[in-house]
Amino acid sequence: MRDLCTLMGYEWKKLLLRKGNVIVLVISLALVCFVQFSLLLPGFTPHENMWEQMREVRAYERARAGNEITALHEYHANFAETLAFQLERGRVSQRGGDWVTQQHEAVPTPWIFYPTAGFGNFFSRSAFMTLVIFTAVAVSIAPLFPNEYRTGVAALQLASKYGKSKLVTAKLLTAATFGLMVALFLTLSALGTSLAVFGADGARAMLQLYEPLSIYNLTVVQGAVILFANIAARILFFSAGVVLLSAKLRSAFSTIIIAFVWIFMAGMIFIPVAIPWIFTFSRLVIAVTPDMVSPVRSTFSIVPYEIFGVFVPPFIFEGVFSLVGGIGLLCCAGWVFKRAQVG
Amino acid sequence: MLTLMGYEWKKIFMQKRVIAVFAVIFILICIGQVGDLIQPLSPIPDAVQTMRNNREHARALTGRELDGDFLYEIFRETEGQNFWLSPYRNIWHIIRFMGEVESPEEAVAFYTNRDNRFAMLPEDEFLMNRVSEGGARWIMQKNEQLPAPWVFAYTGGFDIFLNRANTVAIFLFFVIAICIASLFAAEHQTGVAPIMLAAKYGKSKLIWAKIFTAAGISLGLSLLFTLSTLAISLLAFGADGGWAMLQLRIPFAVYSLTLSQAAWILIINVCLRAFYLGALVALFSALTRSAFVSLILATVYMAPATLYLSLPFNEIRWVFNLNRLIIDFIPHPTEHAVSTFSFFPYEIFGLFIPPFIFEPIFSLVVGAGLLCCAGWVFKRAQVG
């Protein structure tokens, strides 16, 4: 075990001491923090005095914190319309519809108003943040295995004492933990910046104040934690995939091509899906990419997954799917590298 | 020289990964062009038959003036209908070009609304940041020269091509970046560079061969991609309507062009922008000496345009013009503000030049300069 930790330490060092990786991480950090408040700055928006306006709105909202919101007709109408649309498309079965309605009715009314700008802003920028996290992770870990081949060290490593066992495990665990740490680090920085700029109040507010169509009885803090867990699971799947590719292709260049296709193209190919199983399939594909539209919308979607008659909310099913898939891919990558014939 | 270029082409196109990515993306683009007709992808049942019926209907109306009565008819027939099933699908967006249209009166007032929009141009602070007084007058003058009323035509094939041109361009630029990223870098990475630079033709002909290869690849691939997507669109949806006004597709355009002229202009634009991008990637490749880093830089460079991120300080005129020249470089034919057929001209020494003329010339000149830079960087590289 101690050997494994030492080996992982070396791999982490290799990752963190590379100048390129440090630059990528610093730029990513600057980007995700900056976009949280960029729209308040002159030059980034056509409107003037956004910063002062934000403060005025915040003061106005704070004065009304704790008020009840009783006029929810439009909300109920919107919910009914959305559910009817999904039922008509066949994306939710009749029993699924009952489940959704039941969840919807379990959301306590009347709603209590709290200012949620800090969390709301974090949620709105989450698509961009996920994209940055994915890109940073891909760029950093793509050379992990190929560099051993390129520098000719792979032949030595595979013949050495721990080369086919502990070293491979150490590399895989490094890739996975690096992905998770980058995700955690960037998410926390983004959330921290957003709360610092827009105000940290509203932790008790319900998620519906940001995403009115959500049917789950969660607070915004729980929402943020669940969103992070989902992004972490996505990143685990993605970094495992990148490591598998790099072990298979033995070239950082080829790996990064496929990783970019994975990141960018999945969000660009729009399929107006009318067949339920293709819809489920494309949802699961989107669940392992940075969702370009809105990770919040897909994570807290009202359409549940139905497995053997049990209805599972997307934030649980997609998280578990990416987690299990990611671990599977990691095992595959280890197996590929162990079987690699050099020369 | 030609032999040397042949080697360079071989080096790039004999790579399995390049062929694989190229083939996959080419097939994707071709399928995307007719995606609306393929059954599981299409939102409507029996898509091919519906398209044919609608095309017959629209062809029967071709040549009719787009006057008040006709606009009224279009509004009535498309009101509350499934957009995809409408025979007026290709022109439906015209009557709602400024937002939702709720009454037939609004639909009939199309020309008035459109002219008012241009007449109000000098009062619109947001738009006037992007153009000078003289430029605004130039836009209005161009607009007045357009014939009215317009004449309806079935333009399905050209519509699809113009609509998807930016998607094609994004994929195309990515393929070009992959091909050219290793042009100079591979020599450094494999350690051939010191030998090459010491060889007989190493510092002269070989570098020119590489420069021409980069130009040839970007221009060749872009011609292949754009021409095949144009051909597929016209074959699948019908090649008629080339004589129709560009305004049937882009209501806000002020240029007196036909759709087929617009298609060719767009193709030239995409090709020359691809040339510019290829040159930039070649420069990255020579500077960073790593295909991996070059591709990352190229992707980061393309990201704002691909993701439609709005860039800062866009309300300052020269920043806006610089942005659309070098960063917002994906030719979008249906976006009004930033696009090949945008009504904002470039102003140079008091002359107003439409973007579809200025942008390709700029890309050609700057691209050639960048390519020479890339060659120079490689030539001066000190090895070891």
Side-chain angles (χ1 to χ4, degrees):
Chain A
M1 191 61 201
R2 239 177 59 207
D3 296 340
L4 187 66
C5 288
T6 324
L7 287 173
M8 270 181 73
Y10 287 137
E11 295 296 331
W12 264 89
K13 257 192 200 162
K14 263 197 246 176
L15 278 176
L16 289 181
L17 290 181
R18 265 184 67 207
K19 225 184 0 179
N21 288 356
V22 177
I23 296 173
V24 168
L25 284 180
V26 171
I27 293 177
S28 312
L29 178 67
L31 266 181
V32 296
C33 292
F34 182 69
V35 294
Q36 301 296 330
F37 58 88
S38 63
L39 286 183
L40 298 179
L41 304 177
F44 287 79
T45 160
H47 312 290
E48 283 172 10
N49 298 331
M50 286 302 279
W51 201 285
E52 286 74 29
Q53 276 187 33
M54 183 271 288
R55 295 169 81 99
E56 277 169 28
V57 170
R58 188 168 62 186
Y60 177 86
E61 287 189 343
R62 276 184 180 156
R64 279 151 190 81
N67 283 4
E68 286 185 353
I69 305 175
T70 41
L72 292 170
H73 313 295
E74 203 173 320
Y75 157 68
H76 289 299
N78 274 346
F79 167 78
E81 200 179 302
T82 313
L83 180 61
F85 175 77
Q86 304 291 7
L87 280 168
E88 186 197 342
R89 279 292 183 93
R91 292 171 179 176
V92 183
S93 64
Q94 208 56 49
R95 278 191 52 231
D98 296 343
W99 182 85
V100 171
T101 313
Q102 212 178 332
Q103 293 283 323
H104 170 71
E105 281 163 5
V107 174
T109 46
W111 296 358
I112 313 288
F113 178 79
Y114 289 103
T116 50
F119 287 96
N121 188 65
F122 168 72
F123 286 139
S124 333
R125 307 276 179 277
S126 59
F128 182 78
M129 182 188 74
T130 324
L131 186 68
V132 171
I133 296 176
F134 267 70
T135 314
V137 169
V139 169
S140 307
I141 64 178
L144 199 64
F145 281 107
N147 267 1
E148 313 294 2
Y149 288 108
R150 197 169 60 83
T151 52
V153 182
L156 285 176
Q157 275 181 355
L158 287 168
S160 69
K161 191 175 169 196
Y162 296 135
K164 291 217 173 200
S165 52
K166 281 188 184 161
L167 185 69
V168 176
T169 319
K171 272 188 180 297
L172 296 177
L173 288 179
T174 306
T177 47
F178 182 78
L180 293 178
M181 290 311 285
V182 171
L184 183 66
F185 174 60
L186 293 182
T187 312
L188 283 183
S189 320
L191 182 59
T193 315
S194 184
L195 295 185
V197 173
F198 290 89
D201 34 359
R204 275 175 302 166
M206 26 195 322
L207 185 62
Q208 277 75 7
L209 290 184
Y210 172 74
E211 175 70 41
L213 276 181
S214 160
I215 48 167
Y216 308 105
N217 189 6
L218 301 166
T219 64
V220 282
V221 174
Q222 287 166 336
V225 171
I226 288 174
L227 184 67
F228 165 70
N230 253 278
I231 292 175
R234 284 168 191 228
I235 276 292
L236 182 76
F237 189 96
F238 179 69
S239 37
V242 170
V243 169
L244 175 61
L245 284 170
S246 75
K248 188 93 193 152
L249 300 171
R250 302 187 184 188
S251 150
F253 184 59
S254 304
T255 309
I256 204 74
I257 292 175
I258 301 185
F260 278 150
V261 172
W262 185 336
I263 294 176
F264 287 96
M265 303 296 173
M268 280 175 44
I269 301 168
F270 170 72
I271 305 175
V273 186
I275 301 170
W277 73 263
I278 299 186
F279 173 69
T280 309
F281 177 74
S282 59
R283 273 177 96 188
L284 285 176
V285 170
I286 291 174
V288 293
T289 60
D291 191 337
M292 298 263 190
V293 182
S294 160
V296 180
R297 178 120 337 144
S298 61
T299 307
F300 299 105
S301 157
I302 81 164
V303 182
Y305 287 87
E306 187 175 349
I307 300 147
F308 305 123
V310 179
F311 298 99
V312 189
F315 57 86
I316 296 177
F317 188 80
E318 289 178 0
V320 172
F321 172 79
S322 321
L323 188 69
V324 173
I327 293 170
L329 282 182
L330 275 181
C331 297
C332 277
W335 185 73
V336 167
F337 196 68
K338 270 183 207 169
R339 282 177 43 106
Q341 289 302 324
V342 187
Chain B
M1 185 72 170
L2 284 176
T3 327
L4 286 173
M5 269 180 73
Y7 287 137
E8 294 296 331
W9 274 84
K10 257 193 200 161
K11 262 197 253 175
I12 288 169
F13 283 100
M14 296 296 255
Q15 291 178 58
K16 242 193 305 184
R17 63 182 172 218
V18 170
I19 301 282
V21 172
F22 176 78
V24 169
I25 289 186
F26 189 70
I27 292 169
L28 268 183
I29 286 182
C30 293
I31 293 178
Q33 217 62 14
V34 289
D36 295 345
L37 300 179
I38 301 172
Q39 213 32 253
L41 302 180
S42 175
I44 52 168
D46 209 3
V48 176
Q49 198 49 47
T50 314
M51 187 273 286
R52 282 198 185 132
N53 293 345
N54 290 346
R55 187 168 61 186
E56 281 320 305
H57 184 104
R59 274 179 180 160
L61 294 168
T62 296
R64 194 172 151 185
E65 280 191 349
L66 199 65
D67 51 12
D69 291 346
F70 197 16
L71 286 167
Y72 182 80
E73 195 182 315
I74 293 177
F75 177 79
R76 273 283 165 250
E77 290 209 18
T78 47
E79 193 185 10
Q81 246 200 28
N82 186 344
F83 167 73
W84 295 89
L85 295 172
S86 162
Y88 299 110
R89 191 184 138 190
N90 299 315
I91 198 167
W92 185 66
H93 65 276
I94 277 200
I95 55 171
R96 48 196 297 285
F97 77 115
M98 287 202 320
E100 283 302 321
V101 172
E102 269 151 20
S103 69
E105 289 74 32
E106 276 181 73
V108 172
F110 164 73
Y111 292 107
T112 328
N113 286 340
R114 186 176 175 282
D115 286 342
N116 285 346
R117 190 84 184 82
F118 282 108
M120 276 161 55
L121 193 64
E123 289 154 37
D124 192 324
E125 206 182 322
F126 181 69
L127 295 181
M128 280 309 285
N129 277 328
R130 301 178 163 186
V131 69
S132 65
E133 292 280 335
R137 270 199 303 278
W138 181 85
I139 294 171
M140 284 186 279
Q141 203 183 334
K142 279 266 166 205
N143 186 43
E144 277 161 21
Q145 288 166 3
L146 285 180
W150 303 349
V151 177
F152 178 82
Y154 173 75
T155 54
F158 286 99
D159 280 348
I160 286 285
F161 175 71
L162 289 178
N163 228 358
R164 304 277 161 82
N166 62 325
T167 320
V168 173
I170 292 170
F171 284 91
L172 168 72
F173 292 159
F174 188 63
V175 173
I176 288 175
I178 292 171
C179 290
I180 297 185
S182 54
L183 188 71
F184 292 108
E187 315 300 357
H188 285 292
Q189 276 176 330
T190 52
V192 182
I195 303 171
M196 264 186 174
L197 287 168
K200 192 175 169 195
Y201 296 134
K203 292 220 172 196
S204 54
K205 277 194 184 161
L206 185 76
I207 291 179
W208 282 111
K210 277 187 184 292
I211 287 177
F212 284 124
T213 306
I217 285 175
S218 42
L219 289 174
L221 285 186
S222 39
L223 266 181
L224 177 70
F225 272 62
T226 46
L227 288 182
S228 17
T229 42
L230 178 63
I232 290 173
S233 322
L234 295 187
L235 275 177
F237 293 89
D240 37 355
W243 55 267
M245 294 166 73
L246 171 64
Q247 279 71 12
L248 291 191
R249 178 70 231 153
I250 311 172
F252 255 129
V254 292
Y255 309 109
S256 180
L257 296 168
T258 66
L259 274 175
S260 58
Q261 284 168 341
W264 287 111
I265 288 174
L266 197 63
I267 287 177
I268 294 173
N269 221 303
V270 172
C271 289
L272 290 178
R273 294 217 161 205
F275 170 72
Y276 164 77
L277 187 90
L280 191 69
V281 178
L283 182 62
F284 287 153
S285 176
L287 279 174
T288 62
R289 302 186 185 187
S290 153
F292 178 69
V293 179
S294 307
L295 184 65
I296 292 170
L297 289 180
T299 312
V300 170
Y301 179 77
M302 289 191 283
T306 319
L307 303 173
Y308 302 110
L309 295 181
S310 58
L311 291 149
F313 299 102
N314 226 356
E315 79 278 5
I316 301 172
R317 198 181 308 148
W318 70 266
V319 179
F320 167 71
N321 281 334
L322 196 67
N323 272 343
R324 64 181 178 146
L325 265 180
I326 65 169
I327 300 174
D328 284 335
F329 57 83
I330 300 208
H332 201 303
T334 54
E335 188 78 19
H336 303 305
V338 180
S339 83
T340 316
F341 299 108
S342 152
F343 52 70
F344 292 120
Y346 289 89
E347 187 177 345
I348 295 156
F349 305 123
L351 269 180
F352 298 102
I353 309 175
F356 62 84
I357 295 177
F358 186 72
E359 288 175 3
I361 295 176
F362 173 87
S363 309
L364 185 67
V365 173
V366 177
L370 286 175
L371 265 183
C372 293
C373 270
W376 184 76
V377 168
F378 184 69
K379 193 170 162 182
R380 292 193 32 114
Q382 289 302 323
V383 188

